[in-house]
């Protein structure tokens, strides 16, 4: 049995002028999850994937953010360069905040 897909040419041509379609193959579970997330947000899966891609930084963008953050910390909080010791102290402070120990005296 052969099924022919018939597309109204005026609609299809108008649509494809502005959009490039790409097929992404994912497991059924992933597809269903994306569909559920899109429905909850009242958007299409296309819009959801675009949002996810836009909200996920690349390694280069993360490195740039790190450098900008480091420069901000050096300018506003330190008298010298940001060191590994500063990074470790910040990580410890964050761990203390998460664990509820941030206000304790050591």
């Amino acid at each position: 049995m052969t099924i022919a897909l018939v597309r109204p040419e005026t609609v299809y041509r108008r649509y494809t002028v502005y959009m490039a379609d790409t097929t992404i193959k994912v497991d059924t579970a992933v597809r269903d999850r994306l569909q559920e997330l899109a429905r909850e947000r009242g958007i299409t899966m296309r819009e959801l994937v675009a949002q996810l891609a836009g909200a996920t930084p690349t390694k280069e963008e993360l490195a740039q953010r790190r450098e900008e953050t480091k420069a901000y910390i050096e300018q506003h909080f330190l008298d010298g360069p940001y060191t590994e010791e500063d990074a470790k102290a910040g990580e410890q402070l964050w761990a203390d905040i998460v664990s509820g120990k941030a206000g304790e005296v050591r």
Side-chain angles (χ1 to χ4, degrees):
M1 177 176 175
T2 303
I3 300 174
L5 177 62
V6 178
R7 296 182 178 132
E9 281 304 311
T10 55
V11 173
Y12 184 71
R13 192 174 294 124
R14 191 178 317 141
Y15 174 77
T16 57
V17 167
Y18 300 107
M19 300 296 284
D21 279 339
T22 300
T23 300
I24 301 172
K25 294 186 180 213
V26 296
D27 291 331
T28 304
V30 173
R31 182 209 55 211
D32 294 346
R33 173 89 174 152
L34 290 170
Q35 186 64 48
E36 180 181 351
L37 291 169
R39 273 195 204 115
E40 286 180 357
R41 296 173 185 183
I43 59 176
T44 65
M45 278 181 39
R46 177 189 301 268
E47 292 167 326
L48 176 68
V49 171
Q51 285 180 2
L52 293 172
T56 305
T58 63
K59 287 180 182 180
E60 183 179 310
E61 291 166 337
L62 288 173
Q64 181 180 356
R65 284 185 194 176
R66 185 180 190 286
E67 290 305 311
E68 290 170 354
T69 302
K70 184 177 165 184
Y72 183 88
I73 290 170
E74 288 174 346
Q75 181 181 0
H76 295 283
F77 299 106
L78 300 176
D79 292 329
Y82 182 81
T83 65
E84 281 300 312
E85 291 170 1
D86 295 322
K88 287 179 184 176
E91 289 172 8
Q92 184 60 53
L93 175 61
W94 184 252
D96 290 347
I97 290 169
V98 170
S99 68
K101 298 179 185 176
E104 294 180 10
V105 177
R106 292 183 186 198

